[in-house]
Amino acid sequence: MGDKKLKVLAVCGMGLGSSLVLKMTIEKALKELNLEGEVQTADIVTAKGASLDADLIITSKELAEQFGSVSVPIVTVKNYVDVKEFVEGIKKILNL
């Protein structure tokens, strides 16, 4: 990614508790991958508009299906606290 700061959107159903857990896990995964990033939280409705400014979206499979066709890559996760799952998903999407 070079010197670019990655803009990541952590999306949950309501944009409250679970998105904060997502945010913390994303930040740990980015650190493990030596990537600099800015993580924002959002509910699914807000995220559809905010995704236009994001480089990456991380959410559950169920919510990812609600995005329809967006041009932003989406990483789906099952366990919101499993840093390894996040690292693997980010690596796969970003071809690292």
Side-chain angles (χ1 to χ4, degrees), residues 6 12 77 92:
L6 196 62
C12 74
V77 292
K92 184 176 179 182

Side-chain angles (χ1 to χ4, degrees), residues 24-36 81-88 90-91 96:
M24 290 187 295
T25 309
I26 293 166
E27 288 170 343
K28 289 176 186 174
L30 292 176
K31 186 174 183 179
E32 194 169 308
L33 290 165
N34 292 318
L35 294 173
E36 204 174 323
V81 295
D82 183 356
V83 177
K84 184 178 179 192
E85 181 182 358
F86 282 65
V87 167
E88 292 305 314
I90 293 169
K91 283 170 74 173
L96 299 175

Side-chain angles (χ1 to χ4, degrees), residues 5-75:
K5 195 173 203 177
L6 196 62
K7 291 183 181 179
V8 183
L9 203 52
V11 181
C12 74
M14 302 299 260
L16 300 169
S18 54
S19 66
L20 291 175
V21 173
L22 270 174
K23 179 180 178 174
M24 290 187 295
T25 309
I26 293 166
E27 288 170 343
K28 289 176 186 174
L30 292 176
K31 186 174 183 179
E32 194 169 308
L33 290 165
N34 292 318
L35 294 173
E36 204 174 323
E38 175 188 336
V39 183
Q40 295 181 330
T41 59
D43 62 89
I44 186 67
V45 175
T46 305
K48 288 181 182 179
S51 68
L52 299 173
D53 192 39
D55 297 312
L56 186 64
I57 297 169
I58 300 182
T59 190
S60 67
K61 182 178 184 244
E62 296 77 22
L63 291 176
E65 292 169 355
Q66 294 183 35
F67 274 96
S69 60
V70 292
S71 60
V72 179
I74 300 175
V75 174

